[in-house]
Amino acid sequence: MEALVKFVQDEFIEKKDFPQFSAGDTITVYYEIKEGEKTRTQFFRGVVIQRRGAGASETFTIRKMSGTVGVERIFPVNMPALQKIEINKRGKVRRARIFYFRGLTGKKARIKEVRS
């Protein structure tokens, strides 16, 4: 049964070529928003908290600070409204899911940048 599901996902779900990113990276996601008849592009820039799932159901969570309030958004990788993903900074973290980042404020909330 799993082989059949994998076959259907590979054949019918459109794959987009996004750059490789992981937890700790700062990325900008551009996605389409429909408001009535009009469509516009909006972006969400923040730190990747986690990537989870595989195949068609893979998602990633981004966290940004909006004033003093933390905002998190979960994006499916195969969402049709996703237009592009830009990597702004590569971060060096030791975990695949950095939920501890939610509790950090000020200078403690910085992530070391990977020199490439």
Side-chain angles (χ1 to χ4, degrees), residues 1-11:
M1 188 65 179
E2 287 182 28
L4 180 63
V5 170
K6 186 171 179 359
F7 173 75
V8 170
Q9 288 176 353
D10 291 342
E11 290 295 317

Side-chain angles (χ1 to χ4, degrees), residues 7-18:
F7 173 75
V8 170
Q9 288 176 353
D10 291 342
E11 290 295 317
F12 298 108
I13 294 176
E14 170 182 328
K15 298 273 185 193
K16 295 182 180 179
D17 290 330
F18 293 127

Side-chain angles (χ1 to χ4, degrees), residues 2-74:
E2 287 182 28
L4 180 63
V5 170
K6 186 171 179 359
F7 173 75
V8 170
Q9 288 176 353
D10 291 342
E11 290 295 317
F12 298 108
I13 294 176
E14 170 182 328
K15 298 273 185 193
K16 295 182 180 179
D17 290 330
F18 293 127
Q20 288 294 320
F21 60 91
S22 60
D25 294 349
T26 302
I27 64 173
T28 305
V29 178
Y30 294 88
Y31 57 99
E32 225 172 57
I33 291 183
K34 291 180 182 164
E35 295 174 335
E37 299 292 317
K38 298 178 186 174
T39 61
R40 64 183 177 88
T41 301
Q42 188 170 348
F43 67 90
F44 193 91
R45 181 180 176 168
V47 177
V48 179
I49 298 289
Q50 71 171 344
R51 282 187 80 151
R52 85 180 315 161
S57 62
E58 185 178 1
T59 62
F60 58 95
T61 305
I62 301 180
R63 179 180 177 85
K64 75 172 183 177
M65 292 302 291
S66 180
T68 58
V69 179
V71 179
E72 288 187 11
R73 174 118 195 224
I74 299 170

Side-chain angles (χ1 to χ4, degrees), residues 99-113:
F99 296 132
Y100 65 86
F101 194 66
R102 293 173 177 155
L104 303 179
T105 57
K107 287 188 174 181
K108 292 179 183 174
R110 290 184 295 185
I111 294 177
K112 285 187 180 176
E113 191 174 350

